[in-house]
Amino acid sequence: MKEYIESLGIIAPKAVYRNLSPARLVEHAILRGEGRLSATGALTVTTGKYTGRSPEDRFVVDTPDVHNEIDWGKVNVPISREKADNIYNKMTSYLQGREIFIFDGFAGADKQYSLPIRVINELASQNLFIHQLLVRPTEDELESFAPGFTIIAAPGFKCVPSVDGVHSEAAIIVDFEKRRVLIAGSQYAGEIKKSVFSVMNYILPHKDVFPMHCSANIGHDGDAALFFGLSGTGKTTLSADPTRYLIGDDEHGWSGTGVFNFEGGCYAKCINLSKEHEPEIYGAIRFGALVENVIMDENGEYDFNDSSLTENTRVGYPVTYIPNTKIPGVGSHPKTVIFLTADAFGVLPPISKLDKNMAMYHFVSGYTSKLAGTERGIKEPQTTFSTCFGAPFLPLHPSVYAEMLGKRIEEHNANVYLINTGWSGGPYGVGSRIKLPYTRAMVSAALNGELEKAEFVLHPVFNVYVPTSCPNVPDELLDARAMWADKEAYDKQAKLLASRFVENFKKYSNMPDYIVNAGPKA
């Protein structure tokens, strides 16, 4: 392995450690001063300047092979072959004479579509993270392991923007031609995880596999379901169902045979975490887990409510730390697809059904809303749109992913629902948050087929089908307008939100008319 490392340009490494156990990686991390153990045994680190992803520092190498495929713009920023290679040479020179940690694993629980990935780390703690987040190989698989993609993560290497052609000391450079990713300047482990996701979002559509930013679970009868949603919409909470098995919490593929988890682990938020409300995640913070930026006292006890370092406190752990998990993370074709949104305007119906074209429209839109008062200067709810519920990770044009969703919905006769986990009876500050038991009842009715027996009416503004009844949910709650005391105020607010949908969708050039016309009516 030393010869391999030197072939990359990392000459005379101090030591090369390949596929160490979590215990050994924890031992190295502590001896190297990278972190401390908590009272529960989790390795705890701080990530310095970068406590979250840095999308403005992400680049894609612009080469003739990919130039006409990549959806260039704010998300996919081009960097030249020359600049990328210069940074690669500087990074490998920086790593000379240092300890190197290597993990070989797979992205994709379905062996037919799994991508072998080699991750080369400067830090033992980051190597522990990716060991737990990827699908871990068997001994036999390691014997014949050949990387299909290589990721080199060196947080200690700092770019020089004026020389390297990047925006800051950090850079995440995805190179599809040379099948490698460079991560410089950032110790935030999520950059490694999401680089893998970006790669899969490019590779899998070429194999007619639909990559998805969603959670997934499966019932005892083998009926799989998908949950799409941005942060704060309830994706993790609602997919963690004690009556069903969790396939995965974040990234999946939908192939010709069914769905499969990309990962072998979870990367959960820790802010305001409590044993009472999220016992599974709370219990996963133990030996083998990596905790980032959570304040810990001298006795190793966490203060999950302390956001002094960041609101984005995180823990990475193997999916096997969560009870009721399906191993391997594969399932059948989904019978139900759920889009989650937390509408702080209080105007979207609590649940609505979407036909194929409506589903593609709302999938591309990826709507939720920020709350008034949660950020300085926000006086009213703010619309937030993230293309395909995963804008920062999509190398191809959104229409590619939308068409794949539509094709699968049609082929497998999947029911699609839009569920609002936000406000009812008025906007944030006036109305009230839709109660979780009601939302769970709607999800259950969608999953068990009971909702299909309901009568549906077309919403005149949002152009979605609204049920007039749902088991264990008050009928009046299902009519968003009826819940408002001031009906004219509802109409005005609904038109406002619809106009923002329409305005947002204008940015999607080359989107077919049948998708554009399936959206809200401003």
Side-chain angles (χ1 to χ4, degrees), residues 72-86:
W72 301 108
K74 186 178 180 181
V75 170
N76 299 300
V77 179
I79 189 170
S80 69
R81 161 59 59 215
E82 179 186 10
K83 291 291 186 184
D85 286 349
N86 284 342

Side-chain angles (χ1 to χ4, degrees), residues 163-183:
V163 175
D164 295 321
V166 295
H167 299 152
S168 74
E169 65 187 32
I172 300 90
I173 301 172
V174 183
D175 190 336
F176 292 113
E177 182 181 61
K178 295 195 174 180
R179 301 181 75 82
R180 72 187 181 203
V181 177
L182 308 177
I183 301 175

Side-chain angles (χ1 to χ4, degrees), residues 483-499:
M483 293 295 292
W484 282 54
D486 187 338
K487 304 300 188 284
E488 289 185 4
Y490 172 87
D491 293 338
K492 180 179 179 181
Q493 191 87 321
K495 284 287 187 182
L496 173 62
L497 179 57
S499 69

Side-chain angles (χ1 to χ4, degrees), residues 237-250:
T237 299
L238 293 170
S239 62
D241 186 331
T243 67
R244 297 170 67 84
Y245 298 105
L246 180 69
I247 297 175
D249 78 329
D250 196 41

Side-chain angles (χ1 to χ4, degrees), residues 269-291:
K269 288 185 176 181
C270 293
I271 194 67
N272 301 322
L273 181 68
S274 70
K275 186 176 182 179
E276 177 186 1
H277 295 295
E278 295 174 285
E280 293 86 2
I281 297 174
Y282 192 91
I285 303 179
R286 57 183 194 261
F287 188 82
L290 179 74
V291 175

